[in-house]
Amino acid sequence: MDHTCNNVVINICPPPPKAQSKNLSSRHDKPFRAMTTLKTIYVERAIAGIMLCLGLIILFLAVKRGDVKAVEGIIEKYIPIFH
Amino acid sequence: MVDSEIRRGVGVSKLKYRPFRRAVQLASLITLNILILNYTPLGLRPSRFYLPIPVLVGISADISATPGLLDVLQVTLSNSMVPLSAIAATLIIGSILGRALCGWVCPIGFIQDLASTLRGKAVKVGRATDSSGKKMKYIILLAVMGVVGVVGLARSRGVGSSYIEAMGAMADGPFIPFSPDNILFGQIPRMIVEGKIPLSRDYIGLFMVQGVILLLLFWGGASVARFWCRYLCPLGGLMSAFARFSLIGLRRHPTKCLKCPNCERACIMGVKILGRPWRKLNDLDCIMCMECADACPQGAIKPTL
C-alpha cells in the first residue's frame, strides 16, 4: 500500500524479507489460508467440546443406571471363556 | 550464528520429553498389571477395577488391573448390552487427549518402543505402502464391530443360537484371542503357571496364529516403529476418529521452524508434520509421543490446546 506525499512515495508496508517469506511457504501457512485454518481449528474445538459434554452426560447416565456394576458382572462371567 | 549452528539448535535449550514418557510408560505397565502381586508371596492383594481405558489391556489376563476398552466393547455389545461407561470413556478421553494414551500409557506401545530402541535402525516404509497399510486397522475395527453387532442383535432376537454356539469364545469377543495384550499378559503367564502348551488339535491353529501375531508385534515393532499401532491396532483406529478433533494438539512455531525434515524423520507414526497447519496439528495417527519436539533443533514444536 503506497501513499504519495509531496511527490515522495512512502512505502508503509514493505514486503517481508526473503527468509521470512521462505518460512511461510507451506500451503497452509500462506496468509490467505490462515483464516480458513483458524476457522477449522475453532470448528474442531467446538466438536471436541460437544463430544466432551456428550461423554459427561453418558457417564452421568451410566453411573445413574449402574452400568459399571453391570459391566463388572458381565466381564466376571465371561473372563473364564477366554482362558 | 551460522546456518549450520542454527540447524543443530546451538543455543536453544529445551525440555526432552522422551525420558519422561518412558517413565510414564513403565509406571503404566506396572500399574495396569498390578494384579501380578496376587501371585507373589508379598501378601498384597490388589483387586480389579472396572474403568475401561482406551489402551490394550487384556480382559482375559489374570494380572490386569482393569479391562481394556476394546475388550469391554466386544463383550458387552455381543451380549446385547449398550456399554455406556465404555462409550463415555471413549468420548471424554478421545475429545481431550485424542490418541495420547497410545503414546504414553499403552503397554503394547511401550513394548514396541523398547523393541525398536533395541534394534536401533528402522526400516523405511514407502509413503504409498504406509498410507494403504494404515487403512488395515480400520478394516479390522469394522470387521470386529460388525461381528459383535450381529451376534448382539441375534442374541437379543433369540435367533442363530447354533451359529453363536459354533463360534465359541469368538462370539463374545472376536478379537480377544488375537489381541497381543491377551496373549502376552494372559495366555503366556497362564501357560507358564500351568506348565502346559495347548497343542491339542482344537487349539493348534489358534496357537499358531497367536505366534504370528507375537512375531508381528516384536519383529514388526523392531523393524518399523510402532508397527502394530500404525497398521493393525483396531483400538488405535477407533481413537483416531477422535484424535482429529481432540483439544490437545501440536503447535509448530512458524518463524522458529526451519522446515528441516528432522521432525518428520523422528515421528514414530510417520505423520507428515510439515504439510500440516502450524497453528494446531491434529493428525489421525498422532499419538503425542513428542519425538518430533525432541528432534526439532529449534524447539519449534510444542503441545497446545
Side-chain angles (χ1 to χ4, degrees):
Chain A
M1 194 189 293
D2 293 338
H3 289 251
T4 310
C5 178
N6 294 336
N7 296 329
V8 179
V9 176
I10 305 162
N11 193 343
I12 60 165
C13 184
K18 208 174 179 182
Q20 199 183 343
S21 63
K22 194 185 167 191
N23 274 340
L24 297 172
S25 65
S26 167
R27 187 168 61 88
H28 295 284
D29 296 345
K30 283 180 181 169
F32 65 89
R33 295 255 181 184
M35 275 312 290
T36 317
T37 312
L38 202 59
K39 277 178 194 167
T40 312
I41 291 168
Y42 289 144
V43 170
E44 284 172 3
R45 280 180 189 160
I47 293 170
I50 292 165
M51 288 196 307
L52 184 60
C53 293
L54 197 64
L56 289 170
I57 292 165
I58 294 173
L59 184 68
F60 172 74
L61 287 175
V63 172
K64 203 175 169 188
R65 208 182 71 164
D67 185 75
V68 179
K69 280 278 165 202
V71 168
E72 186 182 330
I74 210 155
I75 287 168
E76 286 295 339
K77 184 182 161 193
Y78 278 92
I79 282 174
I81 288 177
F82 300 106
H83 274 211
Chain B
M1 199 181 283
V2 292
D3 191 52
S4 62
E5 281 184 334
I6 293 170
R7 284 195 178 279
R8 278 186 283 120
V10 174
V12 179
S13 64
K14 57 191 178 67
L15 174 80
K16 287 277 180 193
Y17 290 94
R18 189 189 271 191
F20 185 57
R21 187 166 71 94
R22 289 279 184 267
V24 174
Q25 284 178 311
L26 183 64
S28 305
L29 177 73
I30 295 166
T31 312
L32 291 171
N33 294 292
I34 198 76
L35 264 62
I36 199 164
L37 291 175
N38 288 336
Y39 301 92
T40 58
L42 293 172
L44 297 168
R45 293 285 175 267
S47 57
R48 199 180 260 250
F49 59 96
Y50 292 88
L51 182 73
I53 50 169
V55 292
L56 288 180
V57 196
I59 196 170
S60 74
D62 297 317
I63 59 171
S64 293
T66 182
L69 192 138
L70 187 68
D71 294 359
V72 171
L73 279 178
Q74 288 177 76
V75 171
T76 48
L77 284 174
S78 63
N79 283 285
S80 322
M81 188 182 152
V82 181
L84 284 183
S85 55
I87 295 168
T90 313
L91 284 169
I92 294 169
I93 296 170
S95 62
I96 298 171
L97 297 172
R99 282 186 75 179
L101 293 190
C102 300
W104 288 75
V105 175
C106 184
I108 298 299
F110 181 44
I111 288 166
Q112 286 176 95
D113 283 347
L114 289 183
S116 62
T117 308
L118 288 175
R119 168 93 184 247
K121 199 180 168 190
V123 175
K124 209 168 181 182
V125 185
R127 191 177 282 194
T129 316
D130 186 59
S131 168
S132 44
K134 279 174 178 170
K135 288 172 189 152
M136 270 295 289
K137 57 179 180 283
Y138 302 111
I139 297 168
I140 296 172
L141 176 69
L142 281 176
V144 170
M145 287 300 136
V147 171
V148 294
V150 169
V151 169
L153 203 62
R155 276 191 175 141
S156 69
R157 300 274 174 195
V159 293
S161 55
S162 57
Y163 290 106
I164 293 168
E165 202 178 318
M167 284 173 79
M170 298 279 279
D172 297 301
F175 193 70
I176 291 173
F178 307 112
S179 183
D181 47 311
N182 281 302
I183 304 170
L184 269 180
F185 303 117
Q187 197 147 335
I188 291 177
R190 245 189 327 271
M191 283 193 314
I192 293 167
V193 170
E194 291 168 7
K196 61 177 182 184
I197 301 169
L199 289 177
S200 66
R201 207 176 140 205
D202 294 340
Y203 291 103
I204 190 77
L206 179 65
F207 190 63
M208 282 169 73
V209 174
Q210 288 176 335
V212 171
I213 287 166
L214 284 189
L215 192 74
L216 277 175
L217 181 74
F218 287 107
W219 177 78
S223 305
V224 180
R226 292 280 182 138
F227 181 85
W228 180 268
C229 311
R230 265 200 212 194
Y231 305 124
L232 299 170
C233 183
L235 183 62
L238 177 69
M239 293 314 289
S240 67
F242 297 93
R244 179 72 186 79
F245 307 106
S246 66
L247 289 174
I248 200 166
L250 291 176
R251 183 187 164 91
R252 179 169 54 87
H253 201 286
T255 50
K256 278 186 187 174
C257 178
L258 299 169
K259 298 272 164 70
C260 70
N262 285 4
C263 53
E264 290 191 352
R265 279 188 201 139
C267 181
I268 57 176
M269 294 298 282
V271 177
K272 298 292 165 208
I273 299 163
L274 296 176
R276 308 286 298 169
W278 59 267
R279 281 177 197 275
K280 198 177 171 210
L281 166 71
N282 275 131
D283 195 88
L284 296 180
D285 290 304
C286 180
I287 55 170
M288 296 294 291
C289 62
M290 307 306 291
E291 289 287 329
C292 52
D294 283 354
C296 181
Q298 292 298 303
I301 300 175
K302 285 190 166 56
T304 187
L305 283 175

